[in-house]
Amino acid sequence: MTAVGNGAQTAGRPTRLPRSARRKQLLAAAQEVFVAQGYHAAAMDDIAERAGVSKPVLYQHFPGKMELYLALLDTHCDAIVAKVHDAMRGTNDNKERVSASVRAYFDFVDHESEAFRLVFESDLRNDPAVRQRVERVEQGCIAAITDTIISDTGVSRAHAELLASGLVGAAETAAQFWLAGGRQVPKAEAEALVAALSWRGIASFPLQGESA
C-alpha cells in the first residue's frame, strides 16, 4: 500500500509531524480502510500500513479501533450539521434556505462520498455509540431548521420539528439514493427537484404577520 498524505516513511522511520497533522493523516488512512473493508474486517495493522506509520504511533493517538472509528464519525457528523446551520444562516430567503439545506446533503455525498457512506451506511449502525452519533447528525440538522421555521412562521416547536424532520429526511434519503444510483440525474437538477418538492410544502405555512 502507499502511505497517505505527507506521513510517508523516510529511511524506515515515519516522518515526524505535528500532533494535529498526524491525527488528520491517520484519520484519512482509517477512512480509506474502513470504507474499503468495513469496520469488522479492517485491522489496525492495515490502517498503520496505509498511513505509513508503525502501530505504536497509531496507538499513541487512538487506543483502539473503535475510538478511531468514532473519531472519524465525529469529524464528519460535525461537518454535516455545520453545513445545514450555514444554509439556514446564509440568507433570509426561505426558498433559498430550503435549496441550500438540500444542497448541503448533495454536496456532502458528491464531494465526500466515502464520508457519507461511513456515517449513513455503517455496518455498526446497531452499536450504541455509533447510533448515537448518527442520531446526533439528524437531530442537529433538524434543530437548525426547526428554529428557522419557528421564527418565520410562529408554529409550535412540535409542529416545526415535524416539518424539519420531513425536510431532513427527504434531503438525506434522496441524496443517498442519488449516490447509490450512480448520479444518473445531474447534481444541480437533482437538488432542484428535491428542493422544489420540499419548498411546495414549507411554503404553505405563511410567515408571521401574514394571513394564511
Side-chain angles (χ1 to χ4, degrees):
M1 291 186 182
T2 302
V4 169
N6 59 355
Q9 293 185 355
T10 303
R13 295 182 179 181
T15 304
R16 291 188 63 84
L17 293 175
R19 185 172 182 82
S20 60
R22 177 66 75 194
R23 178 182 172 87
K24 184 176 180 180
Q25 177 218 4
L26 296 174
L27 288 173
Q31 178 168 306
E32 293 183 6
V33 174
F34 284 136
V35 170
Q37 301 181 18
Y39 176 84
H40 295 292
M44 293 293 270
D45 283 331
D46 298 329
I47 295 168
E49 182 183 354
R50 184 72 186 92
V53 302
S54 65
K55 279 182 68 177
V57 169
L58 180 57
Y59 280 112
Q60 285 174 10
H61 293 264
F62 301 100
K65 186 167 71 168
M66 177 57 77
E67 287 79 8
L68 179 52
Y69 191 83
L70 293 178
L72 259 178
L73 286 185
D74 284 336
T75 298
H76 296 311
C77 290
D78 290 345
I80 300 173
V81 174
K83 283 179 179 292
V84 174
H85 273 281
D86 289 344
M88 295 299 102
R89 292 192 295 254
T91 177
N92 291 323
D93 183 324
N94 283 334
K95 185 175 183 179
E96 177 54 31
R97 280 173 170 161
V98 170
S99 295
S101 63
V102 171
R103 191 181 311 121
Y105 277 92
F106 275 86
D107 281 347
F108 191 75
V109 303
D110 189 34
H111 303 305
E112 303 287 346
S113 59
E114 287 188 353
F116 186 87
R117 290 188 173 102
L118 191 75
V119 175
F120 293 106
E121 299 176 6
S122 169
D123 54 356
L124 280 180
R125 287 291 292 265
N126 291 328
D127 181 272
V130 174
R131 185 170 64 250
Q132 184 271 332
R133 282 159 172 80
V134 175
E135 290 174 352
R136 180 167 63 83
V137 171
E138 295 171 346
Q139 292 303 316
C141 294
I142 289 170
I145 298 172
T146 294
D147 291 340
T148 300
I149 291 175
I150 290 175
S151 65
D152 285 344
T153 68
V155 300
S156 70
R157 175 161 292 275
H159 286 79
E161 286 177 339
L162 189 58
L163 292 170
S165 70
L167 178 57
V168 167
E172 178 187 321
T173 301
Q176 190 169 10
F177 181 85
W178 177 78
L179 177 65
R183 301 177 170 91
Q184 294 186 35
V185 177
K187 178 169 171 283
E189 186 177 339
E191 292 171 355
L193 285 169
V194 179
L197 176 65
S198 299
W199 173 245
R200 285 172 183 171
I202 296 293
S204 66
F205 293 87
L207 298 176
Q208 291 198 73
E210 294 182 358
S211 59

